[in-house]
Amino acid sequence: MSAPARRPVFLDCDTGIDDAVALAYLLASPSIELVGVGTVSGNIDSATAARNTLDLLALAGRTDIPVAVGAHDHLSHGYGGGATHVHGENGIGGVTLPTATRAPEDASAVDLLLELSHRHAGDLHLLTIGPVTNIALALAADPSLPERISGVTAMGGAALCAGNITPVAEANIANDPEAAATMLDAAWDITLVPLDVTMEHTLGEEDREALLASANPFTRAVGEMLDHYFDFYRPIYGERGCALHDPLAAAIAVGDGVTATRAPRVPVIVDTTSGPGRGQTIADLRGQRPRPRDHDGVRTRIVLEVDRPLGPHLVDTLTRF
Amino acid sequence: MSAPARRPVFLDCDTGIDDAVALAYLLASPSIELVGVGTVSGNIDSATAARNTLDLLALAGRTDIPVAVGAHDHLSHGYGGGATHVHGENGIGGVTLPTATRAPEDASAVDLLLELSHRHAGDLHLLTIGPVTNIALALAADPSLPERISGVTAMGGAALCAGNITPVAEANIANDPEAAATMLDAAWDITLVPLDVTMEHTLGEEDREALLASANPFTRAVGEMLDHYFDFYRPIYGERGCALHDPLAAAIAVGDGVTATRAPRVPVIVDTTSGPGRGQTIADLRGQRPRPRDHDGVRTRIVLEVDRPLGPHLVDTLTRF
């Protein structure tokens, strides 16, 4: 009996501490095969994000996975310098990784995504955990892309909770609202994983210690990076720990650890005005009492609740990795 | 020993079924003295709102309370026809009240508010349960108004819950976003009572029966009106019943029935763009974990939780009225 085929996943990311955690989770998953990575500016610039990704993949011995640099600037504005107060000057909490000998692909992140969408036509799942500039550019370059994508899982937005970079906007979406609007308008199934759920899933000091004690160098590196990330989150949660934004989106995309239990299909638009709501994901969550309901013909679902805490499953997966 | 002085309250409203409930509650309160009412277009046009208010006051034998007609149109646009699907063609659920012999004041709602603000300088509490067009006009006519107002309680907005007339906007604010922005900018203490709390307080069929059995004709009329209102809310709550938007704001203003237990002072701005967020109250509720915190120098608090269900206290008050 042969093992069931792993589902091919393309990751678009801005590595980033929680991107690194998500990457480790994806590599450790028995259910999916990471077939390519594109990078975008967000937590850090796209070139540094690619460097971080290559170094992390080398630590895991996965030099077979192509990494391509994507957009440095966003559709409406230039790269703004990243979130170094959250992710450190180098994007990975100041941790120095062995420099991988491998360089990024000559192809851009857009070209790599399009190429892989043909190679895995109909099967490729797209997971985005940064601003979605590359996705908008890929849709512009080839509007038939959605026909070859099995589905999209995107970390981003805030529906019924506070934003993180404005009172109502989450960073991935607000860093490129026009790109997010383009992605949400395209004809594919999208699972949006907003702050509403990601803020409810955390790691704490004990989890970090478990990661640091791992035999796997990638997992130990993740544990080291979290030191910086925990500092940022300390005033937010009132104790050292962190939210699991990107790892939760990765886990939902993989689908064998946590399951979305409340994720209605509702219209979601992005505020692309220059007003105070710029970058907000406006999800129409009216009419969800007394029970969740899907809107007819809507292909975007927004995750509001999952079945269990991600933390224990994540630590278990990374320490067995 | 003399009874403690009742605090003077000015009510600005768009009567409206839940406005009628709030009005009954205010009249029944032993703690406040309703000294004047202004009307504005919202649930119904401002002239009909004044007619409804006069008829209701006559039912209660309170022909001493002046009622003045306020703005028919809003700052940026004309009256849009009201919410007859919610409140009925006449604004009070199709219930026919005895027509009061009294006419509205010759003075406008703005002039009445300004006059009473002088008469009760420093003591007058302003309670708004409709669009706040009149308040913006009063501030324009006399920018010193806030100096004579002890505080403002306003039903309106949606912070971390769905809106009711757009995915993110509540009707009172969205009917006149510019007026709401003006009110929130003025130098007074505001308690904003948004859908986040008002949707959590309800009346049901048993409550309505208790009101219908009252000896007081105003209370019985309220019970009759609620029949229409319950129909509107049936699909929203999954059973006949209604939200207590305006009554909750009235109860918080009165302060002897329910108390706000979570109401941080945070910056609140109104989206006055023409984008999809128009009319949204953008409250900066970041940083409220692990515990609520007030922003320095901010005079607007937004109510997110109160200490007990309003329903039983409301029914008790109205049936003893």
Side-chain angles (χ1 to χ4, degrees):
Chain A
M1 229 172 67
S2 63
R6 295 179 176 211
R7 288 177 294 111
V9 169
F10 185 91
L11 174 68
D12 196 82
C13 59
D14 54 340
T15 317
I17 297 173
D18 61 329
D19 303 70
V21 182
L23 182 62
Y25 180 83
L26 293 171
L27 295 177
S29 165
S31 307
I32 64 103
E33 176 80 38
L34 185 62
V35 296
V37 180
T39 66
V40 64
S41 295
N43 297 329
I44 195 75
D45 69 277
S46 57
T48 305
R51 172 48 47 206
N52 291 339
T53 306
L54 287 165
D55 293 349
L56 288 163
L57 287 173
L59 267 190
R62 292 301 304 270
T63 53
D64 58 308
I65 300 172
V67 176
V69 180
H72 178 78
D73 294 320
H74 302 297
L75 298 189
S76 70
H77 62 282
Y79 169 59
T84 54
H85 61 299
V86 185
H87 295 274
E89 290 298 325
N90 69 349
I92 49 174
V95 172
T96 305
L97 299 175
T99 303
T101 50
R102 197 163 56 120
E105 304 292 299
D106 291 332
S108 71
V110 167
D111 288 339
L112 180 62
L113 169 58
L114 292 176
E115 181 201 323
L116 290 168
S117 75
H118 284 285
R119 195 182 307 170
H120 303 279
D123 296 324
L124 188 64
H125 190 89
L126 173 58
L127 170 62
T128 74
I129 58 178
V132 295
T133 315
N134 293 333
I135 314 310
L137 293 173
L139 287 165
D142 182 354
S144 72
L145 172 63
E147 298 167 14
R148 299 186 300 279
I149 296 293
S150 61
V152 180
T153 303
M155 192 280 132
L160 303 179
C161 72
N164 57 8
I165 64 164
T166 80
V168 290
E170 178 278 332
N172 284 349
I173 305 293
N175 272 335
D176 202 334
E178 285 76 13
T182 299
M183 181 182 77
L184 288 165
D185 274 348
W188 46 20
D189 293 330
I190 301 180
T191 299
L192 193 63
V193 184
L195 294 180
D196 305 64
V197 274
T198 65
M199 285 296 292
E200 303 306 319
H201 295 262
T202 55
L203 289 184
E205 224 22 283
E206 279 186 26
D207 300 313
R208 195 173 88 81
E209 279 161 28
L211 299 177
L212 287 171
S214 169
N216 185 305
F218 192 155
T219 299
R220 287 201 306 277
V222 162
E224 289 171 35
M225 292 173 206
L226 288 175
D227 188 34
H228 184 93
Y229 208 44
F230 279 17
D231 283 344
F232 171 76
Y233 276 104
R234 185 178 191 147
I236 293 173
Y237 286 112
E239 60 185 21
R240 275 172 58 83
C242 71
L244 294 171
H245 306 299
D246 294 348
L248 186 64
I252 288 171
V254 167
D256 59 12
V258 297
T259 303
T261 46
R262 193 154 58 96
R265 291 182 197 276
V266 297
V268 180
I269 57 176
V270 178
D271 188 328
T272 54
T273 68
S274 57
R278 180 169 173 80
Q280 180 180 16
T281 46
I282 297 182
D284 191 353
L285 288 163
R286 294 175 294 176
Q288 296 290 327
R289 297 169 188 249
R291 68 194 65 81
R293 72 180 181 95
D294 294 333
H295 287 241
D296 291 341
V298 170
R299 299 183 65 177
T300 298
R301 60 184 193 135
I302 187 159
V303 180
L304 299 173
E305 203 174 271
V306 301
D307 62 347
R308 70 193 67 184
L310 174 61
H313 168 66
L314 182 68
V315 171
D316 185 53
T317 303
L318 264 60
T319 51
R320 284 188 296 105
F321 173 39
Chain B
M1 229 173 62
S2 64
R6 295 179 176 210
R7 290 177 292 114
V9 169
F10 185 90
L11 175 68
D12 195 82
C13 59
D14 55 339
T15 318
I17 296 174
D18 61 329
D19 303 69
V21 181
L23 182 62
Y25 180 83
L26 293 171
L27 295 177
S29 165
S31 309
I32 65 103
E33 177 80 38
L34 185 63
V35 296
V37 180
T39 65
V40 62
S41 296
N43 297 328
I44 196 76
D45 68 277
S46 58
T48 305
R51 171 48 48 206
N52 291 340
T53 306
L54 287 165
D55 293 349
L56 287 163
L57 288 173
L59 267 191
R62 291 301 302 272
T63 54
D64 57 308
I65 300 172
V67 176
V69 179
H72 178 78
D73 294 320
H74 303 297
L75 298 190
S76 69
H77 62 280
Y79 169 59
T84 53
H85 61 298
V86 185
H87 295 273
E89 290 298 326
N90 69 348
I92 49 173
V95 172
T96 304
L97 300 174
T99 303
T101 52
R102 193 163 59 117
E105 304 294 298
D106 291 333
S108 70
V110 167
D111 289 340
L112 180 62
L113 169 58
L114 292 176
E115 182 202 321
L116 290 168
S117 75
H118 284 285
R119 195 182 308 169
H120 304 279
D123 296 324
L124 188 63
H125 190 90
L126 174 57
L127 170 61
T128 74
I129 56 177
V132 295
T133 315
N134 293 334
I135 313 311
L137 293 172
L139 288 164
D142 183 354
S144 72
L145 172 64
E147 299 167 14
R148 301 187 299 279
I149 296 293
S150 62
V152 180
T153 303
M155 191 278 131
L160 303 179
C161 71
N164 57 8
I165 66 162
T166 80
V168 290
E170 179 277 333
N172 284 349
I173 305 293
N175 273 336
D176 202 334
E178 285 77 14
T182 300
M183 180 182 80
L184 288 165
D185 274 348
W188 45 20
D189 294 329
I190 302 180
T191 298
L192 192 63
V193 184
L195 295 180
D196 303 64
V197 272
T198 65
M199 285 297 292
E200 304 305 318
H201 295 262
T202 56
L203 290 183
E205 221 25 281
E206 279 187 23
D207 301 313
R208 196 172 88 82
E209 278 162 27
L211 300 176
L212 287 172
S214 168
N216 184 303
F218 192 157
T219 299
R220 287 200 305 278
V222 161
E224 289 172 35
M225 290 172 208
L226 288 176
D227 188 34
H228 184 94
Y229 208 45
F230 279 18
D231 283 343
F232 170 76
Y233 276 104
R234 183 177 193 152
I236 293 173
Y237 286 112
E239 61 186 21
R240 274 172 58 83
C242 72
L244 294 171
H245 306 299
D246 294 348
L248 185 65
I252 287 171
V254 168
D256 60 11
V258 297
T259 303
T261 45
R262 192 154 60 94
R265 292 183 197 274
V266 297
V268 180
I269 57 176
V270 178
D271 188 329
T272 55
T273 69
S274 57
R278 181 170 171 79
Q280 180 179 14
T281 47
I282 295 182
D284 191 353
L285 288 163
R286 293 175 293 176
Q288 296 290 325
R289 305 170 184 242
R291 66 194 65 82
R293 72 180 181 95
D294 293 334
H295 287 240
D296 291 342
V298 170
R299 299 182 66 175
T300 298
R301 61 183 192 135
I302 186 159
V303 181
L304 298 174
E305 203 174 88
V306 302
D307 64 344
R308 69 194 67 184
L310 174 60
H313 168 67
L314 181 68
V315 171
D316 184 53
T317 303
L318 264 60
T319 51
R320 284 187 296 105
F321 173 40

